[in-house]
Amino acid sequence: MEALAAPRAGRRPLGGPEKLGLTAPRRSSRNPRVKISGVKGMNDILPGAVARWQQIERAAREVFALYGYREVRTPVVEPFALFARGVGEATDIVNKEMYVFEDKGEEKLALRPEGTAGTVRAYIEHGAHVEGPQKWFYLGPMFRRERPQKGRYRQFHQIGVESFGVAEPSMDVEQVAMLDDLFRRLGVVPHLELNSVGDGSCRPAYLSELREFLRENAAALCDDCRERTGKNPLRVLDCKVAACQPTLEKAPRLADRLCDGCRGHFEAVKRGLDDLGVRYEENPRLVRGLDYYVRTAYEFTSDALGSQSAVAGGGRYDGLVETLGGPPTPGIGFALGEERLALILEASGRPAPEERPEVFLVAADEEGRREVMRRAAELRRAGIPCDLDARFGKLKAQFKQAERVGARYALVLGGSEAATGQAKLKDMQTREETPLDLSGLAARLRPSARGS
Ligand code: HAM
């Protein structure tokens, strides 16, 4: 696990009680004197809260590099048709939640609701298949017009990976294990639920059987379930309404009707996870909200999240590259929600690493100001984070600012320090002062030189 820095003594994250900066009053008006607030469900992540995001992204980059994944960056705007065809027109994501707009009479465009379709488009468009199997990762904002609540936003951030060109179950195992590694590195252990959603040879017959069962039992199901029975019967299994549960428990299970190929694949994935000590629970009712999945489907969930319990989800999509116009290419990937992971980390009480200045330089007098500017430049060139209050007010005000930014030490410099080359270094927590020779200042202030 990554070593975390001690919480900063002074500086508070901006943005109110929710440390993650995920709550903000929303008001807007055309009245020019009323302040304009951000868009509902789209949040600012303010300095102080950003450390959490950086911690997550740093850990992801480190773990992905260990597994040979390389970063790809694709646009946030894509043709609407990409998602309609890729994610599926019958899904809530495409049907109800996408931000779609016309680009001045040109083609219909959409803000990306997820990263897989765009990544697959880029893979095809740039002919990446000729290079053999590829492992790519991405991070960035996604957009879904959902009803905002804790853990569910209209702009949210995903860290996702996609692996192209390998159909073997070892890839599924490696990828799930990688995500498990990432969670471990961050010190959280969400619960892994695993299923096989079959493929083109076993799913159609199962869907007919399921649809028939749902029609026969329609009276015991909620309106949503009844509506989905025709269009997307698998999603009915995902219903959380309590009254539907006794019926859905009795629904035919795809796990019992997998073809030999899918069953063999599923068994190999489970065996591989067992070999690597990755714990999971089989959930035959786990279906995902996107249409492209075949065989392996999984989610990591956490109790810390309340009703939006999935922190990450993924699975195999062996037909997607072909559906989007590329050569037949197996694929598998996952995405995790950064906001949700940040909430879990926050709930676990684990401090976010802090970046605070090592030293705050305080000017005692007019001559001290020039000395502070010179010394700050010297320290920064040597890679030592330091800060100063460029307003150069009273000593007390400068010390107050040193406290606010959480500096570990303060160094007061004035005409006499500049003349003698001797100063005092004050520990901002203990208030202890130690004499300091200003020659070779950077070397003396390096944390390793002080044994910390
Ligand atoms: P997804 O399950 O739709 O999968 O989203 C992945 C994760 O994004 C979720 O587990 C959740 O943590 C986060 N998430 C989704 N919607 C929201 C929201 N409105 N607010 C906050 N967080 C949210 C996908 O998107 C697939 N593209 C994953 C994948 C990659 N499958 C294969 N490759």
Side-chain angles (χ1 to χ4, degrees):
M1 225 216 56
E2 192 183 19
L4 301 178
R8 176 184 297 186
R11 189 175 267 185
R12 287 254 150 70
L14 302 171
E18 260 237 50
K19 284 216 198 101
L20 298 171
L22 297 179
T23 51
R26 306 278 169 206
R27 260 186 297 142
S28 77
S29 165
R30 289 184 187 182
N31 179 339
R33 276 181 304 181
V34 172
K35 73 169 184 243
I36 296 175
S37 301
V39 176
K40 185 174 163 195
M42 304 198 180
N43 299 293
D44 302 308
I45 306 163
L46 297 173
V50 162
R52 188 61 91 191
W53 264 254
Q54 290 171 337
Q55 174 193 25
I56 292 169
E57 288 165 14
R58 195 162 40 238
R61 287 178 187 284
E62 283 167 10
V63 171
F64 296 166
L66 293 174
Y67 284 78
Y69 280 77
R70 294 180 306 149
E71 184 171 353
V72 62
R73 300 188 185 196
T74 63
V76 293
V77 174
E78 295 276 2
F80 167 80
L82 176 71
F83 302 111
R85 210 184 324 155
V87 175
E89 252 161 327
T91 60
D92 284 353
I93 294 177
V94 172
N95 225 344
K96 303 185 185 156
E97 296 166 3
M98 273 215 297
Y99 289 92
V100 182
F101 58 98
E102 302 261 336
D103 182 15
K104 297 214 169 121
E106 290 181 25
E107 67 180 329
K108 216 156 114 184
L109 301 176
L111 291 185
R112 63 182 183 190
E114 58 102 57
T116 308
T119 306
V120 170
R121 181 203 45 73
Y123 172 86
I124 297 168
E125 200 164 329
H126 301 284
H129 61 280
V130 298
E131 307 273 332
Q134 301 282 325
K135 293 178 182 176
W136 291 1
F137 78 90
Y138 50 85
L139 40 90
M142 308 290 161
F143 305 85
R144 296 185 193 175
R145 204 175 182 291
E146 299 191 77
R147 198 166 43 78
Q149 62 179 78
K150 181 185 166 197
R152 190 165 73 190
Y153 311 101
R154 290 182 168 180
Q155 174 174 323
F156 59 98
H157 297 78
Q158 282 189 347
I159 301 179
V161 312
E162 313 295 349
S163 142
F164 299 108
V166 180
E168 280 67 17
S170 316
M171 179 52 79
D172 312 33
V173 173
E174 186 190 59
Q175 212 176 69
V176 176
M178 176 170 80
L179 184 50
D180 190 64
D181 270 2
L182 173 56
F183 288 134
R184 278 171 201 280
R185 179 174 289 234
L186 289 165
V188 296
V189 193
H191 181 74
L192 169 57
E193 295 180 25
L194 187 66
N195 194 18
S196 172
V197 293
D199 67 6
S201 48
C202 49
R203 195 159 51 196
Y206 168 74
L207 288 183
S208 313
E209 191 185 346
L210 177 63
R211 205 175 267 131
E212 201 177 309
F213 169 88
L214 296 173
R215 288 205 173 115
E216 278 165 13
N217 292 279
L221 296 172
C222 68
D223 289 348
D224 262 1
C225 285
R226 281 202 291 266
E227 196 196 312
R228 284 182 168 150
T229 297
K231 277 193 274 177
N232 204 347
L234 267 190
R235 287 294 282 171
V236 177
L237 298 177
D238 208 21
C239 175
K240 303 283 185 297
V241 174
C244 299
Q245 301 312 308
T247 311
L248 296 179
E249 286 300 326
K250 285 184 266 157
R253 292 151 57 116
L254 180 52
D256 305 328
R257 288 154 181 82
L258 293 176
C259 59
D260 288 348
C262 286
R263 185 172 310 110
H265 190 95
F266 195 31
E267 292 306 319
V269 171
K270 288 188 281 181
R271 217 169 29 242
L273 292 176
D274 291 339
D275 285 348
L276 297 186
V278 178
R279 296 173 61 155
Y280 57 86
E281 186 191 343
E282 273 182 69
N283 177 359
R285 280 178 52 186
L286 174 78
V287 291
R288 307 257 308 118
L290 307 97
D291 276 357
Y292 45 64
Y293 293 111
V294 294
R295 298 194 165 173
T296 311
Y298 61 95
E299 269 178 12
F300 279 86
T301 60
S302 164
D303 293 339
L305 291 174
S307 63
Q308 302 303 313
S309 64
V311 61
R316 190 164 266 291
Y317 47 81
D318 291 344
L320 183 60
V321 177
E322 217 177 340
T323 303
L324 293 176
T329 310
I332 177 166
F334 67 72
L336 71 78
E338 281 195 79
E339 282 80 358
R340 293 190 190 172
L341 184 48
L343 284 167
I344 296 175
L345 285 166
E346 212 62 33
S348 74
R350 210 164 280 277
E354 303 276 356
E355 274 141 25
R356 56 182 189 164
E358 189 68 12
V359 195
F360 197 94
L361 301 177
V362 174
D365 50 34
E366 193 62 38
E367 175 57 24
R369 295 181 184 195
R370 295 184 63 198
E371 186 64 6
V372 161
M373 295 303 285
R374 277 196 295 265
R375 293 295 182 181
E378 178 188 339
L379 290 175
R380 287 166 177 159
R381 270 183 221 125
I384 296 175
C386 67
D387 207 352
L388 52 90
D389 185 345
R391 295 169 299 180
F392 291 123
K394 297 213 167 78
L395 267 183
K396 201 170 153 198
Q398 293 184 59
F399 269 103
K400 179 99 191 137
Q401 184 63 8
E403 254 168 44
R404 275 203 204 107
V405 300
R408 283 179 74 158
Y409 297 97
L411 183 64
V412 180
L413 298 172
S416 82
E417 282 81 3
T420 59
Q422 299 295 319
K424 285 197 181 113
L425 188 67
K426 180 171 180 175
D427 187 312
M428 291 295 289
Q429 284 240 288
T430 63
R431 312 263 149 199
E432 224 172 277
E433 291 189 331
T434 28
L436 186 75
D437 191 332
L438 292 175
S439 60
L441 179 66
R444 287 175 209 281
L445 285 182
R446 225 174 269 294
S448 55
R450 291 195 318 276
S452 56

